[in-house]
Amino acid sequence: MENIYVSFSSWEYRVSETDRTIDGVAKTIAEVLEKKKYSIDYYQREFKWESKQLAELVADLTAKFLELYDPAHARKDVAKYAGYYLGSIIISQKGSQPFIVDGQQRLTSLTLLLTYLRRLQHGRGDLVNVDELIYSEKFGEKSFNLDIEDRTTCMDALFEQGEYEPQGDAPESVRTLVARYSELDSLFPDELKNESLPFFIDWLKDRVQLVQITAYSDEDAYAIFETMNDRGLKLTPADMLKGYLLANMEEGAQRTKANELWRKRLRLLEERTEDAGSDFLKTWLRSQYSKKIRERKRGAKPEDWDRIGTEFHRWLRSAQREIGLTSRLAYYDFVSKDFEFFGEQYGRILDAASGPVDATSRLRFIRYNSDIGFTLQNQLLLAPLVPGDSQEVIDRKFELVGRFTDILVARRIWNFKAIAYSTMSYAMFLVMKEIRGLNVPDLASALRGYLLKLDEDFDFDGLYVHQQNRRQLHHLLARMTDHVTVASGQASNYLELTNGAKVKYEVEHIWADHFDQHTDEFQHEADFARQRNRIGDLLLLPKQFNASYNDDPYEQKLPHYFGQNLLAASLNRLSYEKNPGFLAFAKASGMPFRSYDGFFAESIAERGALYQALATLVWNPDDLLTV
């Protein structure tokens, strides 16, 4: 790819060289997707966006729109709204078929969002047609605009029904698609689900832009991709922030050392997970310096918390004096002390979020919160830290914040309250401000006090499983089951229960789905179904167990429960014989364990009371005072 130069000074450009051409054009989402058909090469990476990346995309789009929207506006006024730039995508045009070289993650996520918005509009008279941005039809055959064969069945189900259950051998992309789609309803703000919805969809389609760079050979497309990412033509906000900080230091040894520290720390973070360097900078600056967050009302302007999330490099320039950058030495200390300290601790947080679970580790709660998808915990974890804290103090603060978050999340799930980014960001910002820089005793007191003021606890006895909370209840059941296991003197089985091992576990009912077996207790099938879905009728069991015994009556399954985890085994009377560890735990804790020879409606209620008692034990705010 010699002698091809691309200028980024204009939204539209074309570079030609004899028989090769490269186009770059700013296009709206509608122009990029409508009636188009994109493929990816088989060797391209899977769809891997995590919860935090989708949450940030939705939060950025909706926050920008809410800055512009006024209920007094007419739909035609959206045409005058400011646009929003979502970056660039690179396409390799092979004959009539465009292939995505860079931008698959964003285009896939936008397609999921459009699919969700399509279903959200169902039954409305003012709906905005987005179908042609998602799929096209030819000769009666429907095909998706992101034409990736192994995702078709999944995307079709999400498009038509809004849900899909991946098979055991489903590709990683399919599992990720389902997981991210299931999060959209809680991520999308309630304030945009009513009269403002068509305005938002109009704006998303026709005012949000991508720069589409199209090459007409793979060689050119990949050369552009490498040039933009490896040769510095595409400066990231992190690059720009570093440049600003270094420029304000003394030339020579200080600037050289600061540069080396910056590069090394961000490289170590990026080796752990994609975009970790940028995520760290946002999290660190928010945790230590943000003072305001955008109010949750129409027309509210973004504050420093919001600005750090979208333009931290610009925000810091405007806040330099506020955060103490008043001399060349202060700039150097900002990198060599603060950046380095918080960067190291952020790396430990990332390691704990995906590492093994040690029942004695102070950092284990970070893993629990990460597994449930609570992406706001990282800024809370960094908030109370102070450069110079000893390792012991840091770990105690991590445990306090991790326990607090764990208890808060469990209580909300138990009471059918959302834990999504958009729902929780305001409240967690307030907590973050309150705990910033606190010592261990004050931190414990503040976090416990917050929990004691909450309305949600485990007294609510109406918890039941449904399609949207099955994954969350899986997590709660895993935590309670693991607690019983560890407290009974056995090794933790948390990772196994949450499918971190070869055996795959599922949330399963004790009662088989056969109304005819329970007509002596229920006159109507709906009443039977409601009772069957209550928390007291649920267990975590291996998928192969369910395949073998799921349809059997309780009495036939009971002998097999004894060989499963202790929470399942506790249904069988044999668990109360020659099982000293479990019996000692049951007696010391006062948990109302008992065996059941038959399992009836009353049994489900009793079992539900056991789970309530276990939840109260596992997620106890008083534990914060013992850290």
Side-chain angles (χ1 to χ4, degrees):
M1 249 294 284
E2 295 178 352
N3 301 322
I4 290 186
Y5 301 94
V6 181
S7 169
F8 289 89
S9 60
S10 170
W11 282 113
E12 183 167 350
Y13 56 87
R14 169 171 290 207
V15 180
S16 298
E17 238 192 54
T18 60
D19 60 344
R20 61 171 68 171
T21 300
I22 299 170
D23 296 324
V25 182
K27 293 185 176 184
T28 66
I29 298 298
E31 290 170 333
V32 170
L33 291 175
E34 193 167 11
K35 296 181 180 179
K36 301 296 194 300
K37 195 75 61 183
Y38 297 97
S39 292
I40 60 171
D41 285 314
Y42 70 92
Y43 51 82
Q44 287 286 327
R45 64 182 179 174
E46 300 271 6
F47 176 55
K48 289 188 175 182
W49 261 24
E50 299 175 355
S51 299
K52 65 179 181 181
Q53 291 154 317
L54 181 64
E56 287 180 357
L57 175 67
V58 174
D60 288 349
L61 288 170
T62 55
K64 182 61 179 179
F65 171 78
L66 285 168
E67 289 178 40
L68 306 167
Y69 174 68
D70 188 316
H73 289 168
R75 286 271 295 275
K76 64 181 180 181
D77 293 328
V78 176
K80 302 173 186 175
Y81 284 9
Y84 189 70
Y85 171 56
L86 272 185
S88 61
I89 60 173
I90 302 175
I91 303 298
S92 176
Q93 187 74 36
K94 302 179 184 180
S96 62
Q97 181 65 59
F99 282 73
I100 303 170
V101 172
D102 185 40
Q104 183 217 150
Q105 308 296 316
R106 251 170 305 160
L107 290 180
T108 301
S109 299
L110 286 168
T111 300
L112 284 179
L113 177 59
L114 289 165
T115 303
Y116 166 74
L117 293 172
R118 175 186 180 273
R119 294 193 59 77
L120 189 61
Q121 296 183 92
H122 182 70
R124 295 178 62 119
D126 57 355
L127 67 82
V128 182
N129 185 9
V130 295
D131 286 9
E132 291 188 336
L133 278 66
I134 303 168
Y135 79 94
S136 56
E137 192 169 320
K138 195 170 185 178
F139 302 116
E141 293 290 326
K142 180 176 72 178
S143 58
F144 289 95
N145 294 349
L146 292 186
D147 190 17
I148 304 166
E149 185 177 357
D150 60 5
R151 305 181 194 175
T152 300
T153 302
C154 168
M155 288 301 300
D156 190 59
L158 295 178
F159 184 85
E160 298 293 349
Q161 289 91 39
E163 58 185 50
Y164 179 69
E165 185 67 37
Q167 301 300 310
D169 58 349
E172 178 188 358
S173 285
V174 169
R175 295 184 180 279
T176 308
L177 284 168
V178 173
R180 297 296 81 80
Y181 184 86
S182 69
E183 295 163 359
L184 280 169
D185 191 56
S186 57
L187 292 174
F188 195 73
D190 290 339
E191 59 197 301
L192 292 183
K193 292 179 180 178
N194 297 311
E195 66 276 0
S196 57
L197 181 60
F199 291 73
F200 173 77
I201 299 174
D202 284 338
W203 178 79
L204 177 66
K205 285 179 56 193
D206 297 315
R207 300 301 295 147
V208 177
Q209 294 183 323
L210 294 160
V211 171
Q212 180 174 312
I213 301 170
T214 305
Y216 295 86
S217 72
D218 280 352
E219 178 190 1
D220 289 354
Y222 282 98
I224 293 169
F225 174 74
E226 290 172 0
T227 299
M228 289 174 64
N229 287 277
D230 293 341
R231 298 184 188 175
L233 291 182
K234 186 179 179 182
L235 286 176
T236 68
D239 294 327
M240 289 184 272
L241 177 59
K242 182 183 77 168
Y244 169 72
L245 294 171
L246 294 180
N248 282 278
M249 296 178 197
E250 291 286 353
E251 289 189 40
Q254 283 191 354
R255 187 178 293 179
T256 300
K257 183 178 179 182
N259 183 46
E260 290 173 354
L261 287 172
W262 185 282
R263 292 175 59 185
K264 180 180 178 182
R265 181 58 58 193
L266 290 194
R267 185 179 70 250
L268 289 172
L269 292 175
E270 293 287 351
E271 287 173 356
R272 287 173 167 94
T273 183
E274 186 177 5
D275 294 329
S278 176
D279 289 342
F280 156 62
L281 292 169
K282 295 176 190 177
T283 304
W284 164 42
L285 296 174
R286 278 174 164 174
S287 74
Q288 300 301 306
Y289 303 110
S290 61
K291 295 180 179 179
K292 291 184 179 180
I293 189 171
R294 185 184 72 84
E295 294 182 57
R296 294 310 186 246
K297 63 182 182 181
R298 291 191 184 99
K301 300 299 182 184
E303 300 289 356
D304 51 9
W305 187 92
D306 310 280
R307 289 187 60 207
I308 291 170
T310 56
E311 49 177 21
F312 56 80
H313 57 300
R314 294 192 185 95
W315 170 83
L316 188 136
R317 287 179 181 233
S318 65
Q320 53 177 320
R321 292 194 172 276
E322 230 175 297
I323 62 178
L325 298 177
T326 56
S327 68
R328 291 188 179 277
L329 180 59
Y331 278 91
Y332 175 70
D333 287 344
F334 188 71
V335 173
S336 64
K337 295 180 180 178
D338 293 35
F339 166 85
E340 180 65 9
F341 171 80
F342 285 101
E344 180 182 0
Q345 300 314 316
Y346 191 80
R348 295 182 67 225
I349 290 170
L350 294 183
D351 291 343
S354 58
V357 174
D358 179 351
T360 64
S361 170
R362 292 189 182 278
L363 276 60
R364 65 190 183 278
F365 298 95
I366 297 174
R367 173 67 190 254
Y368 300 150
N369 298 324
S370 176
D371 285 351
I372 200 67
F374 193 73
T375 59
L376 289 162
Q377 76 159 330
N378 291 355
Q379 64 181 11
L380 295 179
L381 289 162
L382 291 184
L385 301 188
V386 176
D389 278 347
S390 68
Q391 198 66 61
E392 168 69 14
V393 168
I394 291 169
D395 288 359
R396 289 178 70 190
K397 289 182 176 182
F398 277 167
E399 180 174 0
L400 284 167
V401 175
R403 277 186 183 271
F404 162 80
T405 306
D406 184 38
I407 296 167
L408 175 67
V409 167
R411 283 186 171 192
R412 290 187 65 86
I413 292 171
W414 197 277
N415 289 271
F416 296 110
K417 297 291 183 68
I419 61 169
Y421 186 95
S422 60
T423 304
M424 298 292 291
S425 57
Y426 189 85
M428 293 302 95
F429 166 77
L430 297 178
V431 173
M432 181 188 72
K433 276 186 63 180
E434 183 180 348
I435 66 174
R436 190 174 283 158
L438 292 185
N439 60 35
V440 168
D442 290 344
L443 179 61
S445 178
L447 294 176
R448 179 176 176 273
Y450 183 94
L451 292 171
L452 293 181
K453 292 176 185 177
L454 294 178
D455 294 331
E456 303 90 13
D457 56 27
F458 300 106
D459 288 341
F460 174 63
D461 64 358
L463 182 60
Y464 64 91
V465 66
H466 54 78
Q467 185 62 36
Q468 283 68 45
N469 75 346
R470 181 176 290 269
R471 175 174 170 267
Q472 295 176 337
L473 290 196
H474 187 135
H475 179 82
L476 296 192
L477 287 167
R479 291 293 313 287
M480 291 190 289
T481 303
D482 182 58
H483 185 90
V484 173
T485 302
V486 173
S488 298
Q490 299 181 22
S492 171
N493 59 352
Y494 170 80
L495 289 182
E496 179 182 344
L497 293 168
T498 53
N499 296 329
K502 291 183 179 179
V503 178
K504 299 303 177 186
Y505 279 77
E506 296 177 335
V507 176
E508 283 303 324
H509 297 79
I510 296 172
W511 276 355
D513 191 11
H514 292 297
F515 169 57
D516 57 290
Q517 297 176 3
H518 299 271
T519 53
D520 56 332
E521 291 195 282
F522 301 98
Q523 291 184 337
H524 303 289
E525 188 167 358
D527 294 332
F528 159 75
R530 275 192 293 271
Q531 187 74 359
R532 181 174 178 266
N533 284 329
R534 292 180 65 182
I535 185 70
D537 193 56
L538 305 179
L539 295 169
L540 284 187
L541 294 167
K543 186 175 182 178
Q544 63 186 41
F545 180 100
N546 301 324
S548 301
Y549 306 112
N550 190 39
D551 274 345
D552 291 348
Y554 172 77
E555 291 75 15
Q556 292 183 27
K557 291 192 284 188
L558 183 58
H560 302 288
Y561 284 146
F562 182 63
Q564 297 301 316
N565 59 73
L566 278 176
L567 200 55
S570 67
L571 291 164
N572 192 307
R573 65 174 61 243
L574 294 175
S575 292
Y576 302 85
E577 302 173 8
K578 298 181 181 179
N579 198 347
F582 171 67
L583 292 175
F585 162 67
K587 181 178 180 180
S589 64
M591 293 295 105
F593 283 101
R594 57 156 293 193
S595 60
Y596 294 87
D597 294 331
F599 207 71
F600 308 101
E602 182 182 5
S603 310
I604 291 176
E606 289 181 352
R607 188 80 173 173
L610 168 66
Y611 286 176
Q612 284 179 269
L614 274 173
T616 302
L617 178 67
V618 173
W619 293 287
N620 184 354
D622 289 344
D623 289 341
L624 294 168
L625 301 180
T626 66
V627 173

